[in-house]
Amino acid sequence: MKFKALTAVAALMLTSTVAVAGGADDDSLVINGDIEIVTKTAAPAHLDGHLDEIISGWHFRDNETQAMEMDDFDNPGMIFVDQARETWATVDGSEGKSCASCHGEPEDMAGVKAVYPKWNEGAGEVRTLVMQINDCRTTRMGADAWKYDGGDTTAMEALLASVSRGMPVNVAIDGPAAATWEKGKELYYTRTGILDLSCASCHEQNYGNYIRADHLSQGQINGFPAYRLKNAKLNGAHNRFKGCVRDTRAETYKEGSPEFIALELYVASRGNGLSVEGPSVRN
């Protein structure tokens, strides 16, 4: 693997930084007074033995951050959604098409975000929503592909998430997608880096606790793309994966790499049953 060698001694350094917290709160998330978001529910069957309940990252944020997501006028991520609406209707590329030319209004795409990543039979691969957006641009519009997790792609993904808010995540992991899912699962539980951590070390074994000033969540991505107060912009899931791996003091993969595609499929499936929530607001 590309990750650096593990050191169990360094993991002991992390242990001393983890403090027990109160866990997830019991608040309810309703957006704009009418979009009810399922933020806690029974874990899907494939998490048997790992988690009994799955919980949105919204529950691990402070009251002020939570409130920002409850009203689109206060959610800074919606600025990028509005920008993507303009892009949606804008003709680009050699074929004289816009997104709207094939797909109609963004609201006609409700439910799409809930099932990605998914197996694409024609391409013979698992595709993330970002991959599908770029395929539309290059093969149907004759336009240039956007940078993976770049500003344009993340904004467009946020637009597609916004019209699916409240719908249950329902990512398929069987059939031809199973091999990619298994690869993602292996990555999720593999300890890496100088700190000898896996995704599960923080997001399954220690969620609800604090690591320094960060209140650890389950690492659910039903709220992505997420507007992070830390960097004041929308962030895609692969960007967050990259940051987490770097936090373990390991070499990381690139956004859009086969490894992160597999990891996204696995992590998304861990949220099956939660509502699509993006664009969310996080620290």
Side-chain angles (χ1 to χ4, degrees):
M1 293 184 69
K2 190 177 178 182
F3 289 142
K4 293 179 179 177
L6 317 180
T7 57
V9 173
L12 297 176
M13 296 166 56
L14 174 77
T15 304
S16 64
T17 69
V18 175
V20 175
D25 65 25
D26 292 320
D27 295 341
S28 297
L29 175 55
V30 180
I31 299 175
N32 299 333
D34 63 354
I35 306 175
E36 296 184 3
I37 304 294
V38 175
T39 53
K40 291 183 180 181
T41 192
H46 56 265
L47 291 185
D48 185 38
H50 296 281
L51 292 174
D52 295 324
E53 182 181 42
I54 51 175
I55 308 169
S56 164
W58 181 81
H59 283 289
F60 299 89
R61 305 285 63 102
D62 60 37
N63 291 338
E64 290 76 14
T65 304
Q66 287 182 334
M68 294 174 73
E69 193 178 324
M70 298 177 76
D71 191 320
D72 283 353
F73 287 104
D74 295 328
N75 183 342
M78 294 306 294
I79 295 172
F80 303 93
V81 168
D82 290 341
Q83 292 173 355
R85 280 188 177 275
E86 294 184 12
T87 303
W88 181 269
T90 300
V91 171
D92 192 9
S94 61
E95 301 304 305
K97 293 182 178 180
S98 66
C99 301
S101 300
C102 293
H103 301 295
E105 295 300 317
E107 285 71 20
D108 294 329
M109 302 295 284
V112 170
K113 173 62 173 162
V115 298
Y116 272 86
K118 64 181 293 187
W119 178 260
N120 184 294
E121 188 65 34
E125 64 183 3
V126 169
R127 282 188 173 174
T128 65
L129 188 51
V130 170
M131 293 168 67
Q132 191 58 46
I133 289 168
N134 271 332
D135 182 71
C136 281
R137 287 186 57 77
T138 56
T139 64
R140 298 187 183 186
M141 298 171 65
D144 293 335
W146 286 329
K147 178 182 177 182
Y148 204 102
D149 269 5
D152 291 322
T153 46
T154 308
M156 187 60 68
E157 187 178 12
L159 171 61
L160 296 176
S162 72
V163 299
S164 293
R165 286 182 296 183
M167 303 181 74
V169 176
N170 186 25
V171 174
I173 62 174
D174 56 355
T180 303
W181 184 83
E182 290 289 353
K183 180 179 179 180
K185 181 179 180 180
E186 179 183 359
L187 287 167
Y188 190 88
Y189 286 102
T190 298
R191 290 178 175 270
T192 66
I194 295 175
L195 293 182
D196 191 31
L197 294 173
S198 67
C199 305
S201 299
C202 289
H203 299 300
E204 186 172 297
Q205 299 163 12
N206 279 292
Y207 72 87
N209 294 332
Y210 279 94
I211 178 169
R212 296 189 176 92
D214 189 18
H215 194 191
L216 294 173
S217 72
Q218 287 186 347
Q220 300 288 354
I221 58 172
N222 62 301
F224 274 73
Y227 183 91
R228 297 193 70 199
L229 302 176
K230 179 179 181 179
N231 60 11
K233 68 176 185 178
L234 275 180
N235 295 259
H238 290 204
N239 178 274
R240 187 78 287 271
F241 292 163
K242 191 173 181 179
C244 280
V245 173
R246 283 178 170 171
D247 286 346
T248 72
R249 306 298 186 266
E251 293 181 8
T252 187
Y253 301 111
K254 293 182 179 179
E255 295 96 332
S257 65
E259 292 82 5
F260 277 171
I261 292 167
L263 186 60
E264 182 180 349
L265 176 63
Y266 177 70
V267 175
S269 79
R270 290 173 68 91
N272 277 357
L274 294 175
S275 292
V276 175
E277 189 184 321
S280 62
V281 182
R282 301 290 188 256
N283 288 359

